[in-house]
Structure formats: structure tokens, C-alpha cells
Amino acid sequence: MTASPTPPPRPPGPGEARTNLTLAGVGEPEQLRADAARNRTLLLDAASRLLAHCGAADLTMESVAAAAGVGKGTVFRRFGDRTGLLIALLDHREAMLQAAFLSGPRPMGPGAPAADRLHAFGPAVMRHELDHHELILASRTDPMRTYAVPAYRLRLSHVGMLLREAEADGERELVAHTLLGSIDATLVHHLTCGRGMPIERLEQGWHDLLTRHGVARAR
């Protein structure tokens, strides 16, 4: 029997303590022995080289095993399946984005007003999703998993807390979901590549959404 996904955390309400957020992987985190960690790095390095050469569509467990000089079973034991491999590849890229909005410089990082952090957050995520759209889309075999993985839950909590600090209008958890939906990789790819919209137009849409909910950038 498959366990139900853990629901995303509710952003704090008025008067509730702010939660300290920490880096979260795209998939569930795990602790590895030193030798297992080395093998994982070897396999991910091989997968990254293949990804740059042939793209996500042609990346297979067999090709990664051959590039790393190991048996196919080793790759399956480490990542489970192709989706697990793709999610592992996303982890490093996601970690850099998370570090930027959790502990990086202003205006997205700590120390800037909440409104400014929110206005900087959307464009940064949009460009991240656009840069890695092929890998992100290839890893999404289950649409509902998008909302259960730690990386999405972290983004939701982060945006929800900033909305609270900025005293945004509306039901803040729903507003946070709406904002994140507007910068989802699938939509960003469709609008920029399918509809030919410049990324700057999407960024302006993010700023407009925030302004409509009473979140204006500091002057």
C-alpha cells in the first residue's frame, strides 16, 4: 500500500512564530555512507555529461551506467528508476536556488524588506525553471508529486511567511499557491517557448500579482 504524500506545511498565521527554513532536496533527502556518496557523485557526474550532450529525453539508466563504467544494476540500486535519477540531478541546481533565497544577498536574501524579497523571488525562480525546464519536465511523471516534494513545500513556506511579514491581502496560503503556480516550469516554458513571450513580460506579471495583493516594493 502506497503511503499518502505528506501535506505541505501551512504558512504561519498572525501571531505565530516564524519557522526557520532549511535547504530541501527535490526528492526526499537521505544520509549516505562515504563510499555510497562517492558512487552517487560518480553517477551524477556521468549523467550530467550525458544530459549536456544528448538532452534529458535520451538519458537512460543504461547510458549512465556505461558512461560511469559500472553495471546497470548499480544505477538502479542508487536511484530506483529514471525519474529518481532525474530528480537527483535537479537536487544540486535546486540547492543553489534555495541558498540564494534563504541566505543569499539582498534583495532576495535575508535583510531586505519582505516585499522586496518577494518581488525578487519570482523572477529568480522563473529563470531557474526556464534554464532547467527540460530536466524538470522530464522528471514529472506524477503531476501530484510536484506538490509533495520537499523543494515545493519549502518554496510554499518561504513565500507564505514573506506574505505574512509583508501583510499581504487575502488568504495567504492560497495566495502563495497561486503565486507559485504562475511561475511553474510547465507554464513558463509554454509561455516563453510556445507563445513567444519574453521572460520580462512574465516577470512583470509576477510583480502585478503581488501588487494586487497589497505587496508593493519599497521605494
Side-chain angles (χ1 to χ4, degrees):
M1 182 175 180
T2 302
S4 300
T6 304
R10 178 180 61 82
E16 294 181 318
R18 173 169 181 158
T19 303
N20 290 324
L21 300 181
T22 56
L23 296 180
V26 175
E28 295 296 336
E30 59 175 321
Q31 298 296 323
L32 300 177
R33 301 188 315 271
D35 58 338
R38 284 192 297 271
N39 288 339
R40 185 177 189 273
T41 299
L42 174 69
L43 293 171
L44 288 177
D45 285 345
S48 294
R49 293 193 300 271
L50 289 171
L51 183 69
H53 178 70
C54 66
D58 296 324
L59 187 69
T60 66
M61 304 293 267
E62 292 81 0
S63 64
V64 171
V70 301
K72 183 174 66 174
T74 300
V75 187
F76 278 96
R77 284 192 297 273
R78 180 66 270 148
F79 302 108
D81 56 18
R82 182 173 178 274
T83 299
L85 171 63
L86 294 171
I87 288 174
L89 282 170
L90 275 174
D91 268 344
H92 177 64
R93 295 157 174 83
E94 179 69 22
M96 290 189 291
L97 173 67
Q98 291 174 3
F101 68 73
L102 290 178
S103 58
R106 302 180 183 186
M108 190 161 61
D116 287 358
R117 296 184 71 185
L118 281 168
H119 278 277
F121 178 83
V125 173
M126 265 186 265
R127 291 179 183 274
H128 169 84
E129 304 287 75
L130 190 59
D131 288 344
H132 303 107
H133 76 273
E134 185 180 12
L135 185 55
I136 294 169
L137 298 182
S139 69
R140 290 186 177 180
T141 57
D142 179 0
M144 294 307 296
R145 188 177 185 184
T146 300
Y147 304 102
V149 296
Y152 182 85
R153 298 202 304 266
L154 176 63
R155 292 184 187 184
L156 181 66
S157 291
H158 180 70
V159 172
M161 287 189 297
L162 291 179
L163 288 170
R164 177 178 60 85
E165 290 181 7
E167 299 182 346
D169 299 332
E171 170 52 57
R172 288 161 191 162
E173 183 173 0
L174 294 178
V175 173
H177 277 293
T178 300
L179 287 167
L180 291 176
S182 75
I183 56 176
D184 179 74
T186 304
L187 180 60
V188 171
H189 180 255
H190 168 68
L191 292 177
T192 55
C193 299
R195 298 293 303 278
M197 291 186 185
I199 189 70
E200 292 79 10
R201 183 174 173 186
L202 275 66
E203 291 174 348
Q204 186 58 50
W206 170 267
H207 299 316
D208 291 344
L209 280 173
L210 285 171
T211 300
R212 290 174 188 175
H213 286 284
V215 182
R217 280 178 285 191
R219 298 298 180 184

